[in-house]
Amino acid sequence: MAHLLVLYGTSEGQTRKIARFIADTLRDQAHTVDLMAASEFEDWPSPDAYDAVIVGASVHSGQHQAAVQTVVADHRSVLNRRPSAFFSVSLAVLDEDHHEEAERYVSNFLDETGWAPDEVTTVAGALRYTKYSVIKCFIMKQISKSSGRPTDTSRDFEFTDWDQVARFVDRFLQHVESPDTERTPSPQSTSTP
Ligand SMILES: Cc1cc2nc3c(=O)[nH]c(=O)nc-3n(C[C@H](O)[C@H](O)[C@H](O)COP(=O)(O)O)c2cc1C
């Protein structure tokens, strides 16, 4: 049984929902899991206290949450010595034409933080029209229209592929449960769903 950290950043809640799903999946496999929002901590506990770490963040205007970026950059040397994984939540990942864009968000994040996780995945997020401000709702509707996504602002749309997230957790656990296996961090190779 490992002591694991799931750390996340979210703006509208979808990454928190995914992080909770990941934490529950890990607990179902008898691991001890701390689930934390990066923004809620001034004195973030060192990843040294954990056997392995999963970090998730969502993309807004091409960037992941600054709080997550700060925590990861501050603790990169420990993260690089532990089994670790990153999931990036966006909508670009939904479109074949924009898939490279979703991967670019990730490689920028990893370049800027100096972190080389063992597993990386890009996950489709959600359109939460009912939670957006009027202006945000208008902007997201225009973007959705041009991208061929739903434009009915009276409801929310979730695109997250939960089976993909479960497979990501399985791959992460292989690194946790096989500590003798040599880890080969590959920040440039984002796994496909
Ligand atoms: C204001 C705003 C800006 C966004 N910018 C991007 C973007 O640049 N690229 C992208 O792929 N998705 C973008 N998205 C989509 C979000 O990544 C997606 O809605 C995700 O589910 C948000 O996760 P969260 O609820 O955890 O914050 C944006 C969403 C909003 C509301």
Side-chain angles (χ1 to χ4, degrees):
M1 188 178 83
H3 186 200
L4 307 173
L5 174 64
V6 179
L7 175 89
Y8 66 89
T10 189
S11 300
E12 286 96 32
Q14 189 64 17
T15 309
R16 176 170 51 241
K17 186 173 176 182
I18 297 168
R20 281 184 180 151
F21 173 87
I22 289 173
D24 289 344
T25 305
L26 294 168
R27 287 179 187 128
D28 285 348
Q29 302 197 36
H31 297 292
T32 304
V33 183
D34 288 344
L35 176 66
M36 297 182 189
S39 59
E40 287 171 10
F41 289 85
E42 282 177 14
D43 286 327
W44 195 68
S46 169
D48 248 338
Y50 297 91
D51 297 310
V53 180
I54 293 186
V55 177
S58 61
V59 176
H60 288 76
S61 306
Q63 297 283 328
H64 294 90
Q65 279 80 16
V68 179
Q69 185 146 345
T70 301
V71 170
V72 170
D74 285 355
H75 296 274
R76 65 180 159 219
S77 58
V78 177
L79 286 171
N80 284 334
R81 292 197 303 272
R82 291 275 183 282
S84 65
F86 178 54
F87 66 97
S88 168
V89 180
S90 70
L91 290 179
V93 67
L94 280 172
D95 312 323
E96 200 57 47
D97 290 352
H98 293 98
H99 207 271
E100 273 181 26
E101 192 179 315
E103 294 189 0
R104 197 167 54 247
Y105 301 145
V106 171
S107 54
N108 288 346
F109 178 85
L110 297 179
D111 286 348
E112 284 163 17
T113 56
W115 179 33
D118 300 287
E119 290 292 336
V120 177
T121 198
T122 50
V123 182
L127 277 169
R128 295 195 167 199
Y129 286 124
T130 65
K131 310 285 186 305
Y132 299 152
S133 65
V134 174
I135 292 173
K136 207 187 256 191
C137 190
F138 176 79
I139 293 169
M140 293 308 287
K141 184 178 177 181
Q142 298 312 306
I143 293 172
S144 295
K145 207 170 176 180
S146 62
S147 311
R149 294 181 200 128
T151 54
D152 177 0
T153 57
S154 68
R155 51 161 292 202
D156 298 337
F157 297 87
E158 183 178 86
F159 306 101
T160 305
D161 177 344
W162 298 102
D163 290 339
Q164 179 207 343
V165 179
R167 289 194 297 275
F168 167 71
V169 174
D170 284 347
R171 291 196 303 276
F172 167 71
L173 279 176
Q174 285 171 20
H175 294 286
V176 177
E177 290 165 357
S178 308
D180 293 332
T181 306
E182 192 179 332
R183 293 189 290 118
T184 52
S186 53
Q188 303 309 326
S189 63
T190 308
S191 67
T192 51

